Amino acid sequence: MGRLCWCFGSRSSDEPGQQLPLANQDLLPSTTLASTPSSTLPEGVDVVTDEKIFRDMLRGKRVLHVKGFGSGFKNQQETEKKTEAEQGKEALDALEAFSPDFMVVDGDPWGSGTGFQRHIQAYAEHQRQQQKKAPSLIWAKNVQMPSSDPEQEQKRLKKEEELLGKAQEWARQCQIRVYVYWIDAKKLIAKIEYVYGADAWTALTNTASKSVTGDRGLIKVHKSNRSWMEGLAGSYAGEQLKQSIETCEKQTDKNGKQGLEGFSFENSAKGNLIFELLTTSGGLHGVVALGGGESVLLEFASKYLNSKSGFVWDNAALFPHSRGNSNDPSFPRHIGKHFAAQRD
């Protein structure tokens, strides 16, 4: 029997004592999910190339998906600074209570680092200050799988290299190890159609580019017959999410367009898909949103705070944090028991 290979790339510097096998093309299984040679990986970034072995590594661990605003307050006056500090403290308490071994983000860029990114950074730094192990980060992103067409493959590899650079920024800013987890784009399309209807992908995509458009109102949720909408009835959180969806669909943006943005449907379905792909037995698997936009609203409504999804509500936390934008969705406050800070 051949030896097993974790099939990851370079080591990051926060675990100098751990021996991590490097990617070896001779040992890659036929189900490899990535083709980037380890020699070209950015510092601090590892690429998952064997999904089964990776999932086995997560078994029995505490895995937490973190979501929220991509950016923070635009105007940093005293009131905003106070609110931001209070929200930061609340976020740190929740993360510390859950105590994740792995934190997961859905291919989000680091950007300005002023949104939910700062909470991950703060928690990692807090763990180091307390002389505790900082969590690793799983950076999950949907990509096209290898193509037999040389031209298409060259484009795919170029895009993959660009994405690895974005993942590396997380490693650099948070000083934690980052695992890049590629997701087959076809699985995402199937998930979008499962959650939002068989015609959803066609409705959301631009015919020429074959990619999701940011146009609004392409899919109506509130008045639809989506089966998961029934799971919002009967609970305070569910009813509030349902009302927030209705409010967002009635809003008109600066261009006069009404309804939810196309990207919101894609990103919410992607979040649900990533959660399901990383679900293993044992351990603890949860999700926390520290504020957020339409995609967070749809994601929690369709799964995490939906009575028909089978999701355990104790494993979810939804904080109605603000960034001072009146057009952001409103959220009910829900804190599952695994996020409740322990008090002496």
Side-chain angles (χ1 to χ4, degrees):
M1 182 176 180
R3 69 190 162 105
L4 291 175
C5 176
W6 282 35
C7 301
F8 300 130
S10 63
R11 270 174 42 186
S12 60
S13 58
D14 64 323
E15 297 178 21
Q18 182 174 352
Q19 296 300 312
L20 180 68
L22 297 178
N24 185 321
Q25 295 297 325
D26 294 331
L27 298 176
L28 293 180
S30 58
T31 55
T32 180
L33 296 182
S35 58
T36 305
S38 61
S39 60
T40 65
L41 290 175
E43 176 96 23
V45 174
D46 300 308
V47 174
V48 177
T49 54
D50 188 300
E51 187 169 6
K52 181 181 183 303
I53 295 176
F54 185 63
R55 284 168 52 82
D56 286 344
M57 185 185 75
L58 298 181
R59 204 177 306 278
K61 303 296 185 182
R62 301 173 76 89
V63 179
L64 178 63
H65 298 246
V66 186
K67 305 170 186 298
F69 298 118
S71 59
F73 286 99
K74 290 184 177 179
N75 300 312
Q76 286 286 337
Q77 303 300 322
E78 287 303 315
T79 300
E80 286 76 18
K81 289 180 180 178
K82 181 180 178 182
T83 299
E84 193 171 73
E86 291 172 348
Q87 292 178 167
K89 175 63 166 59
E90 191 169 51
L92 183 60
D93 286 346
L95 296 178
E96 191 172 18
F98 192 94
S99 187
D101 298 303
F102 294 88
M103 303 176 87
V104 185
V105 298
D106 302 344
D108 301 276
W110 176 261
S112 64
T114 59
F116 81 103
Q117 307 95 327
R118 67 187 178 90
H119 300 305
I120 294 177
Q121 185 184 53
Y123 178 68
E125 180 59 27
H126 174 77
Q127 290 296 94
R128 286 190 288 268
Q129 290 178 353
Q130 298 295 314
Q131 297 185 332
K132 298 178 181 178
K133 182 182 177 182
S136 297
L137 183 78
I138 300 174
W139 194 82
K141 181 66 176 176
N142 52 299
V143 295
Q144 297 295 329
M145 291 293 104
S147 171
S148 58
D149 183 297
E151 184 177 350
Q152 291 300 317
E153 181 64 3
Q154 186 177 15
K155 290 180 180 179
R156 187 192 69 80
L157 289 173
K158 184 177 180 180
K159 180 64 175 179
E160 188 178 277
E161 183 178 358
E162 175 188 327
L163 292 174
L164 288 173
K166 292 183 178 182
Q168 185 190 28
E169 187 64 12
W170 281 88
R172 190 177 72 82
Q173 293 287 348
C174 299
Q175 292 298 295
I176 57 178
R177 179 192 221 156
V178 173
Y179 294 101
V180 173
Y181 179 64
W182 301 132
I183 297 169
D184 190 339
K186 292 181 180 179
K187 290 184 178 181
L188 175 56
I189 294 174
K191 189 63 177 178
I192 290 172
E193 293 178 342
Y194 176 81
V195 178
Y196 298 113
D199 59 345
W201 177 250
T202 301
L204 292 173
T205 53
N206 179 289
T207 305
S209 65
K210 297 183 180 179
S211 60
V212 173
T213 172
D215 289 349
R216 294 185 176 277
L218 299 174
I219 294 177
K220 301 293 185 182
V221 175
H222 182 66
K223 294 183 179 180
S224 71
N225 59 353
R226 313 293 178 212
S227 60
W228 58 264
M229 288 292 289
E230 299 174 2
L232 297 177
S235 70
Y236 173 77
E239 293 289 353
Q240 290 297 306
L241 290 172
K242 186 176 181 180
Q243 182 177 333
S244 188
I245 290 174
E246 182 178 9
T247 299
C248 286
E249 289 196 323
K250 290 180 178 179
Q251 287 180 344
T252 303
D253 66 13
K254 61 182 180 181
N255 297 316
K257 293 187 176 182
Q258 194 175 60
L260 296 168
E261 192 177 49
F263 296 130
S264 300
F265 295 98
E266 179 186 35
N267 291 334
S268 60
K270 178 171 62 177
N272 286 346
L273 174 63
I274 291 170
F275 192 95
E276 291 162 10
L277 290 174
L278 295 179
T279 298
T280 61
S281 60
L284 184 62
H285 196 188
V287 58
V288 60
L290 305 160
E294 294 174 357
S295 60
V296 170
L297 172 63
L298 291 172
E299 196 172 337
F300 271 75
S302 62
K303 187 174 180 70
Y304 310 124
L305 294 182
N306 190 299
S307 64
K308 288 187 174 296
S309 70
F311 188 84
V312 179
W313 287 26
D314 281 340
N315 297 352
L318 178 57
F319 291 91
H321 285 179
S322 171
R323 61 175 174 177
N325 186 342
S326 60
N327 291 325
D328 285 332
S330 61
F331 294 122
R333 183 182 181 85
H334 172 83
I335 304 177
K337 72 176 184 180
H338 297 297
F339 299 90
Q342 298 298 314
R343 305 298 183 189
D344 294 331

